[in-house]
Amino acid sequence: MKLGMLTACLPDQPLEQIAAWAAGQGYEALEVAAWPAVGDRPFTASHLDVSSFGEREADSTRALFDRHGLTLSSLAFYDNNLHPDPDERKAVNDHVAGCIDAAALLGCPTVGTFVGRHPGRTVAENLRDAEEIFPPLVERAGEHGIKLIVENCVMEGWHPDGYPGNLAYSPELWEWMFSLGLYLNYDPSHLIWMGIDPVEALRPYVDRIPHAQAKDIQLFPERRHRYGWPGKAVEREDPFDVGWWRYRVPGLGDVDWRRVVDTLYEGGFDGVLSVEHEDPVWGGTEDRVRTGLQVAHRTLRPLIVA
């Protein structure tokens, strides 16, 4: 197992600077943000432009990682593959395909995305749509020896009422994804607020997890008594502000990382555990983000066999 980080938390820094800093802090791998250059959604970045990616770009990227002794663990493009607008949906699907092609040139083992959801259709209808969209992408990835991985992020802000906007939030849906040839980019933080034990959920599926993310979560149960499980309803300026929990860097929330890492090892996981920094306390400036990444490293590094 290696300890890595997702680059999206430093959107304004070039990949060269992130790689140098991460290696200097003892990180061993990078999960590289590969969203399109346009757009300003939080926690996204474009550190690799797959729209114009060829052998020359692949050579320079591999050289950068070799220079700093880093592993490229995954290309990250987490967007709505079931977007209700047909043109937007096609653009997302096409960009996933572009990430697969770039990963093939780089020898990168995984590409990460979301299933997504059309909020105007039932879950069952969305699953039938996904069963048409994903097989060609899975086949394209498989031809290059790449695994298409889906994070179990709930993406509640994509649904008008705060319900799950990414249909990958439970083990039941993981099994459905696996039947399509998809894999899981496991993140324990989302399971905790859903009321799912992250260790019990993890244990049966480690062999379908080639990559994992390390994000923590801090719950405020007394606030849940006011808002209920879906969160704020009357005043919710930020669609992702549920009101009774917030993300933290590992070590500052409620995830039992000792048990999570131990369960990954017990199940034979030998991939990258990648820190996903979305902590509002250690955010806002690049210096604070870097401090948060240092806290995460100090928390997780002792748990990972050197």
Side-chain angles (χ1 to χ4, degrees):
M1 194 186 310
K2 292 183 177 180
L3 181 58
M5 55 168 276
L6 172 59
T7 66
C9 59
L10 294 166
D12 297 325
Q13 281 197 12
L15 184 58
E16 292 84 352
Q17 289 185 16
I18 296 175
W21 183 86
Q25 297 299 313
Y27 280 101
E28 301 164 286
L30 292 182
E31 179 184 4
V32 176
W35 277 262
V38 295
D40 58 354
R41 204 175 82 203
F43 307 115
T44 65
S46 183
H47 289 129
L48 205 71
D49 182 6
V50 305
S51 66
S52 58
F53 199 82
E55 289 287 356
R56 184 175 63 180
E57 290 79 13
D59 288 344
S60 64
T61 302
R62 285 194 299 267
L64 170 67
F65 276 73
D66 289 345
R67 190 159 60 249
H68 294 290
L70 292 169
T71 295
L72 173 54
S73 66
S74 191
L75 297 188
F77 171 56
Y78 292 92
D79 215 318
N80 191 351
N81 279 282
L82 299 178
H83 197 287
D85 181 283
D87 292 336
E88 288 288 335
R89 178 184 294 195
K90 184 178 185 305
V92 172
N93 301 162
D94 289 349
H95 195 77
V96 172
C99 287
I100 292 169
D101 294 344
L105 289 172
L106 288 163
C108 178
T110 66
V111 169
T113 191
F114 289 143
V115 171
R117 180 179 188 168
H118 185 320
R121 291 169 64 79
T122 67
V123 170
E125 289 170 338
N126 273 278
L127 298 189
R128 302 297 82 79
D129 290 345
E131 287 164 2
E132 295 181 5
I133 287 170
F134 279 99
L137 293 170
V138 169
E139 183 177 1
R140 188 187 195 116
E143 289 173 351
H144 298 291
I146 294 166
K147 293 176 179 176
L148 194 57
I149 58 175
V150 173
E151 184 192 349
N152 55 292
C153 183
V154 184
M155 293 307 289
E156 63 286 347
W158 279 354
H159 192 286
D161 295 320
Y163 302 137
N166 173 39
L167 299 180
Y169 54 84
S170 68
E172 177 190 21
L173 288 164
W174 300 351
E175 292 175 358
W176 162 79
M177 294 189 326
F178 300 155
S179 73
L180 299 182
L182 295 164
Y183 290 80
L184 177 65
N185 190 11
Y186 167 82
D187 183 333
S189 65
H190 309 295
L191 295 165
I192 288 182
W193 80 268
M194 293 287 289
I196 299 172
D197 184 315
V199 173
E200 292 307 310
L202 166 65
R203 199 180 307 279
Y205 303 110
V206 177
D207 65 332
R208 299 294 297 184
I209 301 172
H211 192 275
Q213 288 184 328
K215 185 163 74 263
D216 217 326
I217 188 170
Q218 183 179 16
L219 305 183
F220 302 96
E222 70 281 2
R223 300 182 192 174
R224 185 176 56 208
H225 297 320
R226 171 175 173 79
Y227 297 121
W229 178 86
K232 293 179 178 180
V234 178
E235 295 182 3
R236 191 167 175 167
E237 295 180 5
D238 179 348
F240 288 97
D241 179 14
V242 173
W244 63 271
W245 55 264
R246 62 184 179 181
Y247 292 128
R248 304 303 309 271
V249 292
L252 300 181
D254 297 326
V255 174
D256 186 337
W257 291 104
R258 180 184 58 82
R259 291 184 65 221
V260 167
V261 172
D262 184 54
T263 302
L264 285 169
Y265 271 124
E266 185 178 4
F269 179 80
D270 62 357
V272 169
L273 180 61
S274 178
V275 174
E276 184 184 19
H277 184 338
E278 296 183 359
D279 188 325
V281 177
W282 291 108
T285 68
E286 290 184 351
D287 284 344
R288 293 185 69 81
V289 168
R290 284 191 289 264
T291 299
L293 290 167
Q294 290 169 331
V295 171
H297 187 277
R298 287 199 298 268
T299 298
L300 297 172
R301 179 67 261 177
L303 303 177
I304 297 175
V305 178

